[in-house]
Amino acid sequence: MKDKDCIFCKIAAGEIPSATLYEDEDFRVILDLSPASKGHALILPKEHYRNLYDIDEETAAKAFVLAKKMVKKMTDVLGCDGYNVVQNNEEAAGQTVFHFHMHLIPRYKGDNVGLGWKMGELTDADKEEILKKIK
Ligand code: AMP
Ligand code: ZN
């Protein structure tokens, strides 16, 4: 299914031009317009899924296999030193475009890409509560 108001549906379908690194029947991989680092790319499924909560399992699995292939290929192309694969779900987690996508962010030694979080501490109370609820 496509969403007629979704910009990533239009980009994935080729209706809006993009810097395409790779395309097959299920996905288009494009360069991000506001890259965190040189070579920052996005994997876009051609079907519309809001995010990870919504995507079908087969497409999710294929997306991750494609991420692996792109990371290997682009590491050779860019000469980068590592990669972050990032995927945001819902506004609270930083999602701004509500069509599933995976960020492939090349990392270069000494770059100032501001990814990360302040490490907390796993409390006994949290641990017990979560383990109890998951069972
Ligand atoms: P997120 O915050 O995970 O939803 O990421 C959305 C990403 O899409 C951001 O990194 C934007 O820079 C990128 N983006 C938004 N519009 C476009 C566009 N037209 N072409 C390429 N990248 C885009
Ligand atoms: Zn869409």
Side-chain angles (χ1 to χ4, degrees):
M1 216 179 73
K2 314 275 190 274
D3 178 335
K4 64 177 176 39
D5 299 320
C6 172
I7 187 168
F8 279 5
C9 277
K10 291 181 182 139
I11 291 173
E15 290 162 19
I16 293 177
S18 62
T20 296
L21 301 175
Y22 172 87
E23 185 184 2
D24 63 24
E25 64 177 310
D26 299 313
F27 298 98
R28 184 184 291 272
V29 183
I30 65 167
L31 288 176
D32 195 296
L33 269 190
S34 308
S37 66
K38 183 178 171 183
H40 180 169
L42 302 172
I43 295 181
L44 311 180
K46 291 188 173 178
E47 292 294 308
H48 182 83
Y49 307 98
R50 180 179 171 87
N51 54 36
L52 195 60
Y53 293 107
D54 189 35
I55 193 168
D56 76 79
E57 290 186 2
E58 193 188 343
T59 310
K62 283 183 182 171
F64 212 81
V65 172
L66 179 55
K68 175 181 169 69
K69 288 183 180 155
M70 290 304 302
V71 162
K72 286 184 78 174
K73 173 78 180 162
M74 293 306 286
T75 296
D76 291 342
V77 169
L78 297 164
C80 57
D81 302 304
Y83 252 94
N84 292 113
V85 177
V86 176
Q87 199 274 309
N88 300 324
N89 299 283
E90 297 299 336
E91 202 177 330
Q95 185 176 10
T96 58
V97 180
F98 293 90
H99 173 123
F100 176 94
H101 52 280
M102 290 171 86
H103 295 262
L104 307 179
I105 304 175
R107 300 301 303 270
Y108 303 88
K109 278 182 191 147
D111 69 27
N112 281 317
V113 175
L115 287 172
W117 56 87
K118 194 171 141 281
M119 285 200 275
E121 193 183 332
L122 178 61
T123 63
D124 286 342
D126 281 353
K127 184 170 68 183
E128 275 155 32
E129 180 196 331
I130 295 162
L131 291 178
K132 199 167 134 196
K133 283 184 178 165
I134 195 99
K135 280 174 188 152

